[in-house]
Amino acid sequence: MTAGGKGSGDGDGWEEEVAQWDEEVSEWEAEDPDLAPEESGRVPKVIAAGHINWDVTIHVDRLPEPDGETRIDRLEQSGGGSAANVAVGLVDLGGRSVVYGSVGGDESGALALRELASAGVDPGQVLVDADEPTSVKYVIVDGGGELLMLANDGANESFTAAGLDRDVLTAADHLHLTGQQPETAAALATAAGEAGATRSFDPGRRVGDREFDAALHAVDVLFLNDREADALADSTDIDPWEPADRVVAIKLGSEGATIRTPHGDVSHPGFDVDPVDTAGAGDAFAAGFLGAALRELAIVDGGFSHDPRDYQVPLLVGNACGAIAAETVTARATLSWDRIRETMGESPESDLLIEVRA
């Protein structure tokens, strides 16, 4: 991509800077960096705001044709929802997280909250809407790991920005938004910015159909898959592939991911795994990326860095977490730094395939 911002248009000076980047990347790869953060390092507090579900995951050999039938090979129930999944993943990686969303006043809601608390997530801000059922998502997974999802909205978006305790928001280092009402996302992003927190947003598959413009423009980092990136480029003035003023993490499925910044991009092809269930893989990627990036003040001090070299470790960690999730039966993967290193150890050559472009 063409570089923007600092250094662009400086002719030979810019070429020298790019050459220096290449040299630094080579040195970094040769060092075999330890991805796990120092135990004594910064432990950021994150609020993950958005959907909290109860998931029913059904595994079949193949999806039936219309008016057809297929046998259930395995059925699992677990907590789900993008905000909840990211919150749990961050705690798994040694972080602190608060989840903000809404559930119904039913057994499914009680189960979802109990599971979050057991995982070490603070669910104290969750709204319980007694008039609506908890959103239950039925995830049907075929033998190749492909998905079919059925869901009710229920109480999923009953919460509003006004319901979040401002002291909790002020104490947070970062706000991560997932699917929710556009006005709620915009208000939360604005309030977090005023409180001095960095902000990220994973709007999900409905990004092209909902009026998320205000929230999209208010955040530092966007998480999208390639289809969502194209939909966003078609429906707004934001080009995720060539961002002007933010960082965009674009998930490419089996081909890994690319981190786009105004000053260049960094890409990694991912890890070779046999997927059994890709539900939640994007949430695991976000948890891994944020879990690595937010601990580094050099990346997040004053807002997220636009230097693509800063995202080599967060990208590797995010891809490893996504791979772990793809090999997990439900959307809620158990993450750890040991599992991340093990995943990377199975494909050591992938450590050397990071590409930084300016």
Side-chain angles (χ1 to χ4, degrees):
M1 68 184 279
T2 301
K6 179 181 178 181
S8 61
D10 288 342
D12 293 340
W14 179 239
E15 291 178 2
E16 289 175 4
E17 184 169 347
V18 172
Q20 182 181 351
W21 285 11
D22 290 338
E23 182 178 350
E24 290 177 4
V25 171
S26 297
E27 292 174 355
W28 182 86
E29 290 170 343
E31 291 172 359
D32 188 21
D34 183 6
L35 303 183
E38 297 288 341
E39 291 186 5
S40 60
R42 180 174 185 258
V43 182
K45 185 175 184 179
V46 179
I47 298 174
H51 290 175
I52 304 169
N53 302 335
W54 187 249
D55 286 356
V56 179
T57 303
I58 302 168
H59 282 254
V60 299
D61 179 57
R62 58 180 176 81
L63 298 176
E65 299 292 333
D67 201 32
E69 181 177 324
T70 193
R71 184 172 65 88
I72 295 175
D73 294 327
R74 182 173 181 176
L75 187 148
E76 299 277 350
Q77 297 192 52
S78 66
S82 292
N85 291 342
V86 173
V88 171
L90 287 166
V91 170
D92 285 346
L93 297 178
R96 299 176 296 160
S97 61
V98 176
V99 66
Y100 181 55
S102 43
V103 298
D106 50 19
E107 182 180 2
S108 295
L111 288 170
L113 293 179
R114 189 179 309 145
E115 191 170 75
L116 286 166
S118 297
V121 174
D122 179 354
Q125 295 295 302
V126 175
L127 169 70
V128 177
D129 184 348
D131 296 327
E132 294 286 350
T134 298
S135 176
V136 177
K137 182 172 289 187
Y138 295 86
V139 185
I140 305 174
V141 188
D142 70 11
E146 295 300 315
L147 308 176
L148 173 66
M149 294 188 182
L150 306 172
N152 65 313
D153 288 334
N156 230 351
E157 298 186 355
S158 296
F159 69 99
T160 67
L164 179 61
D165 188 305
R166 283 303 180 264
D167 290 338
V168 173
L169 182 58
T170 301
D173 299 292
H174 184 81
L175 171 71
H176 178 67
L177 302 167
T178 69
Q180 55 195 276
Q181 293 290 336
E183 56 272 22
T184 301
L188 285 172
T190 299
E194 292 171 349
T198 51
R199 299 153 292 175
S200 57
F201 190 15
D202 188 342
R205 59 176 53 88
R206 296 178 64 186
V207 65
D209 302 326
R210 307 186 81 175
E211 298 296 329
F212 280 133
D213 295 53
L216 292 167
H217 281 285
V219 299
D220 305 286
V221 181
L222 289 175
F223 292 95
L224 306 162
N225 63 31
D226 52 350
R227 295 181 301 277
E228 292 160 358
D230 289 339
L232 189 63
D234 290 339
S235 60
T236 72
D237 61 352
I238 296 174
D239 183 356
W241 300 98
E242 301 278 350
D245 55 0
R246 72 199 67 247
V247 175
V248 184
I250 302 178
K251 300 161 285 186
L252 304 173
S254 61
E255 297 180 5
T258 179
I259 310 301
R260 301 281 169 150
T261 83
H263 291 173
D265 55 85
V266 55
S267 301
H268 181 265
F271 300 96
D272 186 18
V273 297
D274 293 322
V276 297
D277 183 348
T278 56
D283 300 331
F285 176 93
F289 180 93
L290 292 173
L294 290 173
R295 289 175 178 266
E296 299 295 333
L297 277 176
I299 295 179
V300 299
D301 190 19
F304 273 71
S305 166
H306 289 174
D307 186 337
R309 294 168 296 178
D310 288 335
Y311 297 104
Q312 294 169 87
V313 168
L315 174 59
L316 283 173
V317 174
N319 272 343
C321 290
I324 292 167
E327 293 184 308
T328 302
V329 171
T330 67
R332 182 72 57 77
T334 300
L335 305 176
S336 71
W337 292 106
D338 286 342
R339 291 192 72 182
I340 289 168
R341 189 70 255 182
E342 180 183 348
T343 298
M344 295 183 62
E346 294 171 357
S347 303
E349 70 281 0
S350 292
D351 288 6
L352 306 178
L353 293 178
I354 284 185
E355 177 187 3
V356 177
R357 296 193 305 153

